[in-house]
Amino acid sequence: MAKTENLLAATEFLTNYIGNEEVQTELYEVGNRPPANKAAFEAAKSDEIIAAFGEVGANGVPMPNIPEMAAVWEFWGVAEAEIITGKADPAKRWEQMTEDIEKAISK
């Protein structure tokens, strides 16, 4: 919402439309994504996968909104692709990714 030309309209849309229980339930049913709305989540958590997202999220920490995160995602994405496609040993590639991120952030 930081780049919207109409903050009031964007806030209204997210808060009173996208965030309501009915829309969140529909989004869950269409995309099988855990609802952010608490009432919609309670109804959807009979699905064990959705319930597991809730358990993990209960102890979650928000991602920092800082420029350094760009370095994290850049190295993470490349490492993830190499691991998934079998181009790299997962343990070694993860260690290299960690070192690359630490170097990039410390600059």
Side-chain angles (χ1 to χ4, degrees):
M1 288 197 328
K3 296 185 181 191
T4 184
E5 293 181 15
N6 190 334
L7 183 59
L8 181 61
T11 302
E12 176 71 20
F13 177 71
L14 289 174
T15 304
N16 295 319
Y17 180 70
I18 296 295
N20 78 37
E21 182 178 354
E22 182 180 346
V23 172
Q24 287 287 302
T25 299
E26 287 292 323
L27 289 171
Y28 159 68
E29 290 172 353
V30 170
N32 204 29
R33 294 184 176 107
N37 177 282
K38 289 181 182 181
F41 178 80
E42 286 299 317
K45 76 177 188 179
S46 61
D47 178 315
E48 66 183 37
I49 294 173
I50 299 301
F53 272 97
E55 290 173 22
V56 170
N59 296 315
V61 177
M63 179 180 57
N65 186 15
I66 56 174
E68 291 83 359
M69 289 306 295
V72 171
W73 298 128
E74 178 183 349
F75 290 112
W76 190 303
V78 171
E80 182 179 44
E82 290 177 2
I83 291 168
I84 289 171
T85 59
K87 294 180 181 176
D89 172 77
K92 289 179 183 176
R93 187 61 184 96
W94 197 262
E95 187 65 35
Q96 181 63 52
M97 177 203 69
T98 303
E99 291 173 16
D100 292 340
I101 291 170
E102 288 173 351
K103 284 179 192 173
I105 291 175
S106 68
K107 289 182 181 180

